[in-house]
Amino acid sequence: MPSPRALPLPPTSFDGKMRDPMDNASARDDRRAPLLRRCVKIFRRQRRLFAGVALCMLVLGLLQLPGPILTMRVIDSVTSRGAPLSIGGISLMCAALLGALLSVRLISILQRFTLEKFKYRIIFSMQRALFSHALKLPAAHYLRQSHGYMMSRVNEDPYRLQGILADTIVSILGDVITLAIGVGFLFYVHWRMALVSVIVLPLLVVLFTRLRTSLKADFRRVQEQSAKVSRFLGESLSNVLTIKLLTLEALSRRQLAGNLSELIRQRFHILRRRMTYENLIAVLTGVVPIAILWYGAIEIVNGRLSVGAFIAFNGFLAYLYRPAEGIVIALLSMQGSIAAVERIFEILDTPPERYGPRAGGRPRWANGGTSPAIAFCEVSFRYPGKKAWVLRDVCFEAARGEMLAVSGPSGVGKTTLLSLIPRLVEQQRGMVLIDGVDHRQIHLLSLRRRVAVVSQETRLFSGSILENLRRADRQVTVESAREALRIAAADEFVDELPEGLATELGETGLNLSAGQRQRLLIARAILRDPAILILDEATASLDAELEATVLANLRAWQGQRTVIAVSHRPAIHEFAHRSLELRDGKVVPRVALDPRCQLEESPRSLLSSPRILPIVN
Ligand SMILES: Nc1ncnc2c1ncn2[C@@H]1O[C@H](COP(=O)(O)OP(=O)(O)OP(=O)(O)O)[C@@H](O)[C@H]1O
Ligand SMILES: [Mg+2]
């Protein structure tokens, strides 16, 4: 009877919907596009909110115009330079000024709300994109980077975008509008004085370009150091019991203080640099009003300028230098955000796991149930950056309905060998065949749905026991959960808990014993209804009697499923059909306990066997 799991993979696996998201052309184009264009592409999704903010800015800029103009008109009329105004006219102008003031406040509130909404929508969408990409990164990525470090990059870096969003793009937009209005009006009032006023602007540009590059590198260093602090905190707090037992409290405090003082040193380095340049800019822009005072006074004495126009000119001078200074300072703060954006894109550009079948096309399954469930064909593997091979030309196979025991000295590569099956790591040479198909040709999600792993790490999720079991499959009923718990010999202890299946587990299930956690994990794996069950020392924390019960139950439950169990304990060899040993990177057979499960062909012969059909397009 063919195994129910030997059927072709679900059609959704190959219908294109679950394609590797980074394989599409637009994602590849994105990686090549300049940073600014990529940012604009993200901001464009919130263009309505952005347009709202820009409109508010424009109106606010225009509402600043009446102030100096009306002031000039009133002063000139009372100093008898311009046409005289009646008391009614003056009152009307003051009422208009009051109206402008109130409108400015109202629109500022509207602008602030729209801006915050715009900002948070973008920040949250970046966090979502980063989290979703972080889940798609190959497991190998997490072998190199700590979780705390990744958490800082996913959680904190998007917040650094605020600099770009609020302090920069939006304030620059407002400043540019004010600057344009200011420059126009200055030239309208007195073009010669206006020329004197704008002469400092090119100097500001030079100062900015000098500082920009070095500041960006400084910001990047600060962000890297801040991620280091997060990593240290995450690691220390999750290992707090070990720290206590090893009495490492003082050392940990010193390490944190060292990390923090380095962070402070780097921040002050940036501050010193910024203060130097900002004060230079302030002096430059402060010199101009003095020059204008001198030049304007001479112009008034010579009768070429009215007092009202002079006051208005000085009023508009603020429209020139405040925004010009604002633009330079905002562009400088933007360097920090640009460094954060670069870090965000670094993660988004890291190629994810390959999801789809490599060569494209739909794999045809080997005929019926004759192919072994798992076959390793001359598989070699070494960890990235390491010279030594952990596995060398490993060949073995496991049939459907077989329980295979794997043993071997600690550190020989048993966990690594098992990690190859669900493609947590990928071999550099050779092939792993699942039901006769190269497993790289199977969609990753389909592959992982067929394989359940109970690893050496016994971490659960927070939530109730039932919720944890439902992580295997959301449709799990209370009855099926109970049955799985029975197989995993976990029913008794769960029943004894005051709230049974509804018992809340602390974070990562820490309020259970290691053996209880292991049994829950076995139950969860059973509920996935896998074709292949991998147990990596999954019963190591159980006493001999419980271990025997679990293994006997698994044999009874197994049916056509394949079970591979790594264990150092002798019990496993009593229950397994066959036992293999991993030694010096090679798999060698131990005594075969059940002759029925001896396989006729060696995996090497499988490579040229007609049972393995080619991939058809
Ligand atoms: N992420 C990694 N990066 C580099 N080398 C690794 C990594 N994980 C494991 N190794 C190395 O690979 C070898 C095999 O490790 P593996 O965890 O597969 O051993 P194991 O047989 O499962 O050991 P144990 O019985 O102690 O669980 C070891 O020498 C180990 O140092
Ligand atoms: Mg191991």
Side-chain angles (χ1 to χ4, degrees):
M1 193 183 74
S3 157
R5 287 290 171 147
L7 296 169
L9 292 168
T12 48
S13 315
F14 299 98
D15 65 4
K17 278 184 196 152
M18 298 197 312
R19 257 198 322 258
D20 177 345
M22 294 306 280
D23 262 5
N24 62 53
S26 112
R28 275 199 305 275
D29 285 351
D30 268 6
R31 268 178 253 168
R32 285 197 293 265
L35 200 67
L36 193 65
R37 193 151 12 116
R38 295 181 70 174
C39 284
V40 170
K41 210 169 166 186
I42 295 166
F43 297 167
R44 242 197 346 235
R45 284 184 220 135
Q46 305 298 335
R47 56 181 170 271
R48 280 199 188 160
L49 286 174
F50 187 74
V53 176
L55 187 67
C56 289
M57 289 277 181
L58 185 67
V59 176
L60 281 176
L62 291 174
L63 280 173
Q64 286 171 18
L65 271 179
I69 294 176
L70 295 181
T71 312
M72 175 175 87
R73 182 83 182 85
V74 172
I75 291 176
D76 280 351
S77 80
V78 295
T79 54
S80 60
R81 247 311 273 251
L85 277 174
S86 64
I87 299 290
I90 292 174
S91 309
L92 199 67
M93 284 192 183
C94 290
L97 284 175
L98 195 66
L101 177 76
L102 292 177
S103 312
V104 164
R105 286 297 92 219
L106 277 177
I107 294 171
S108 296
I109 293 170
L110 185 68
Q111 184 225 338
R112 182 73 193 271
F113 274 108
T114 325
L115 174 60
E116 292 295 306
K117 209 167 169 185
F118 169 71
K119 239 168 48 179
Y120 284 109
R121 284 240 181 117
I122 290 196
I123 290 170
F124 294 158
S125 77
M126 288 314 282
Q127 280 182 325
R128 270 207 315 269
L130 276 172
F131 180 65
S132 132
H133 196 75
L135 293 182
K136 287 180 202 145
L137 290 177
H141 187 86
Y142 293 97
L143 300 178
R144 288 193 303 269
Q145 313 242 3
S146 83
H147 299 150
Y149 181 79
M150 272 305 274
M151 211 169 91
S152 147
R153 296 190 65 162
V154 171
N155 192 34
E156 289 168 22
D157 282 348
Y159 276 93
R160 295 197 173 105
L161 276 175
Q162 285 205 50
I164 266 194
L165 298 172
D167 313 342
T168 318
I169 293 194
V170 176
S171 76
I172 286 179
L173 186 73
D175 284 340
V176 166
I177 293 171
T178 316
L179 190 74
I181 293 169
V183 171
F185 194 78
L186 289 179
F187 275 92
Y188 163 72
V189 175
H190 198 282
W191 70 267
R192 282 190 302 274
M193 280 203 310
L195 266 185
V196 174
S197 319
V198 297
I199 216 143
V200 181
L201 291 182
L203 272 174
L204 295 185
V205 175
V206 173
L207 275 179
F208 164 70
T209 22
R210 281 204 58 148
L211 184 57
R212 194 187 55 160
T213 324
S214 55
L215 209 54
K216 194 169 94 183
D218 290 343
F219 275 121
R220 213 186 149 91
R221 270 194 291 276
V222 164
Q223 287 160 16
E224 198 55 31
Q225 182 65 20
S226 150
K228 250 193 211 170
V229 171
S230 298
R231 173 174 51 198
F232 178 80
L233 285 175
E235 207 173 76
S236 306
L237 293 174
S238 59
N239 287 315
V240 77
L241 296 185
T242 316
I243 289 178
K244 278 175 186 289
L245 288 173
L246 295 175
T247 58
L248 292 175
E249 291 93 336
L251 178 69
S252 303
R253 274 197 298 271
R254 274 202 305 280
Q255 280 177 330
L256 178 67
N259 275 328
L260 285 177
S261 52
E262 174 59 19
L263 187 61
I264 292 169
R265 194 193 64 73
Q266 289 179 0
R267 282 195 192 282
F268 266 83
H269 175 71
I270 291 184
L271 186 68
R272 267 200 306 277
R273 217 178 256 240
R274 279 191 64 160
M275 292 306 276
T276 313
Y277 278 82
E278 281 177 22
N279 281 298
L280 219 56
I281 291 167
V283 169
L284 277 177
T285 53
V287 165
V288 175
I290 301 171
I292 294 297
L293 180 70
W294 173 77
Y295 185 34
I298 295 173
E299 290 290 277
I300 293 173
V301 170
N302 290 335
R304 287 196 290 264
L305 187 69
S306 72
V307 174
F310 182 62
I311 291 172
F313 191 93
N314 268 294
F316 271 107
L317 214 50
Y319 284 34
L320 179 68
Y321 282 106
R322 203 171 24 79
E325 201 179 326
I327 290 172
V328 174
I329 290 172
L331 285 174
L332 290 182
S333 350
M334 193 173 173
Q335 302 316 306
S337 307
I338 290 179
V341 171
E342 279 176 358
R343 285 159 56 87
I344 288 173
F345 285 129
E346 243 168 48
I347 293 187
L348 292 179
D349 290 347
T350 309
E353 290 180 293
R354 264 183 282 266
Y355 276 65
R358 260 198 185 157
R362 181 187 295 260
R364 233 166 55 202
W365 292 95
N367 50 343
T370 55
S371 303
I374 303 168
F376 272 59
C377 306
E378 299 180 348
V379 171
S380 298
F381 174 84
R382 64 177 166 197
Y383 281 97
K386 286 218 171 169
K387 268 194 186 156
W389 292 93
V390 178
L391 305 172
R392 282 178 291 116
D393 298 326
V394 166
C395 291
F396 74 92
E397 57 183 62
R400 285 187 197 86
E402 186 179 22
M403 184 181 275
L404 192 68
V406 179
S407 58
S410 174
V412 74
K414 301 180 297 296
T415 300
T416 307
L417 179 90
L418 300 185
S419 306
L420 285 164
I421 298 171
R423 271 176 58 204
L424 283 179
V425 289
E426 269 191 45
Q427 75 275 14
Q428 283 86 10
R429 292 205 299 257
M431 256 201 270
V432 177
L433 305 173
I434 306 289
D435 285 338
V437 175
D438 180 347
H439 78 337
R440 289 168 300 192
Q441 306 287 359
I442 304 171
H443 194 284
L444 198 58
L445 298 185
S446 297
L447 174 71
R448 289 186 185 160
R449 271 183 211 133
R450 297 163 68 82
V451 180
V453 182
V454 184
S455 69
Q456 279 173 293
E457 246 186 60
T458 55
R459 281 173 179 251
L460 289 150
F461 292 96
S462 44
S464 70
I465 292 182
L466 188 60
E467 277 162 6
N468 262 281
L469 294 177
R470 283 191 173 142
R471 298 267 174 163
D473 178 356
R474 267 183 285 170
Q475 312 303 326
V476 162
T477 59
V478 172
E479 290 70 40
S480 53
R482 285 199 183 286
E483 175 57 12
L485 288 172
R486 187 196 60 75
I487 297 169
D491 49 345
E492 275 182 29
F493 93 80
V494 171
D495 286 342
E496 279 167 19
L497 291 169
E499 294 179 67
L501 275 173
T503 306
E504 288 289 318
L505 302 177
E507 197 180 332
T508 66
L510 281 179
N511 50 2
L512 293 179
S513 78
Q516 289 170 335
R517 284 203 298 269
Q518 276 195 328
R519 280 177 282 161
L520 284 189
L521 288 173
I522 294 172
R524 189 177 72 187
I526 289 167
L527 286 167
R528 275 183 78 74
D529 189 20
I532 297 166
L533 173 65
I534 294 172
L535 304 169
D536 190 359
E537 301 193 37
T539 49
S541 302
L542 307 187
D543 60 63
E545 199 182 324
L546 261 181
E547 183 181 43
T549 311
V550 173
L551 290 174
N553 288 350
L554 284 175
R555 270 292 298 262
W557 160 83
Q558 176 174 13
Q560 283 297 295
R561 297 176 180 93
T562 306
V563 178
I564 303 189
V566 162
S567 180
H568 294 293
R569 313 262 286 266
I572 190 73
H573 305 295
E574 285 168 29
F575 286 93
H577 295 105
R578 273 190 311 145
S579 293
L580 301 176
E581 191 167 345
L582 194 59
R583 208 182 295 150
D584 301 327
K586 298 265 189 196
V587 166
V588 289
R590 283 173 58 118
V591 190
L593 294 171
D594 188 341
R596 281 174 304 139
C597 282
Q598 286 296 318
L599 294 152
E600 293 145 19
E601 285 175 285
S602 76
R604 194 180 285 266
S605 70
L606 274 167
L607 280 169
S608 52
S609 156
R611 288 197 324 202
I612 297 165
L613 301 176
I615 302 300
V616 287
N617 285 312

